[in-house]
Amino acid sequence: MRNKLLHIIYLTFTFFLFSCSNAIDELLPLTRAQLSIELKNDLDVDRQEEIKTIRFIVFNSVSGGVKLDVNKRVVLAAPGTATDITAQVLTVTPDNDIMVIVIVNEPHSLTSELDGITTLGALQNVDYNIAGILNSDGEIVSSTGMPMTGVIRGISVVSEETKTVEMVIERAVARVDIFLEATDGGAVTGYTNGSTSVTLHNFTRNSYFVMGNEANGTRDNVDPSKNYGKVMENVPTSDLLEETWTAGTTTTWAYSSASDAKNKRLLCSFYIGERIFKSDYSDRLAVSMTNVLKGPPSVTGIAGKVIETITKVDNSGTPTVQPFTEIRRNNVYQITARVGKIGIQIITISVEGWGEAQDIDLDMYL
């Protein structure tokens, strides 16, 4: 399975002594830490996003008596993928229970609220609507860039110690990709300008903004005290949305067994918010398709098919089918409508890494 992590951040803590400017305070030198931040470039372009702004929030004594130490937003003069930001240095207070939150490309609408954050509880409750960062074509607006967050805790550094901590940041949105595929000999499929359409039902745009990361040890722990963040659930029916893509061109293709054949092609994508579904399936994602070509001139489609299961691949590469219970950030949920000789059926939906599609095997047979 593709690695769905995004950027790796190196946090280097170097502690030193300095004196305050106040004459009285100069008698009591304080220990401070210089926090140097660097992004690692792993050369995987499918995992990189342009970084425009980066915010560092540091809390001390996280397990009890938590205190805000740093809240600083940096605007990068020359945005770029995996930008080297080693020059960004923060002064923080040494502690044996430090939490660092990194926020990249925060939506402009959240800057004022994030500037005022002083508690972990307030940060956890920040929510945003991803519609505000999408343009009229449904793509992430260039002025903001892809919002990303990372949370790591349990950092302990003492005076005269240098420590490097590795963490990841992940996208704060999910994506649904819809593909169309010709699957066997003689199969012909395609779409028609202004006629073929795909509708995604029961998705939401709202999500809590900052969430812990499994790779950083701040999400999915059996001990909930080690986790940070929360996910929207029990969303009112009035908040569920649907969006329709309509083909802007006409294209047809036939199945080919050639090794370089493009039997499977992307129709459309939708950005959606992280959310937990209700147990009764009433708010799970559903898909409708109309006027999909099946051996022209005939057409076929599907109406509001609810997706109930999902295929995941473990670290050994073994796929397993599980109930579809939630939408997670930094995941791509890929659905493929397959044109062959049997009727229409949704079997499962696969979770893939961000980037160009590889093995796409949600099956809607047409």
Side-chain angles (χ1 to χ4, degrees), residues 14 18 81-82 109 175 190 194 208 274 297 313 336 344 356:
T14 304
F18 74 97
T81 57
S109 61
R175 197 178 80 218
Y208 291 111
E274 186 173 47
V313 180
T336 300
I344 187 166
E356 184 177 353

Side-chain angles (χ1 to χ4, degrees), residues 180 189-197 245-253 267 290-294 296-299:
L180 183 61
T189 191
Y191 45 88
T192 304
N193 181 21
S195 176
T196 303
S197 68
W245 167 88
T246 302
T249 59
T250 297
T251 301
T252 61
W253 65 94
L267 293 181
T290 62
N291 294 325
V292 175
L293 297 180
K294 182 182 181 182
S298 66
V299 294

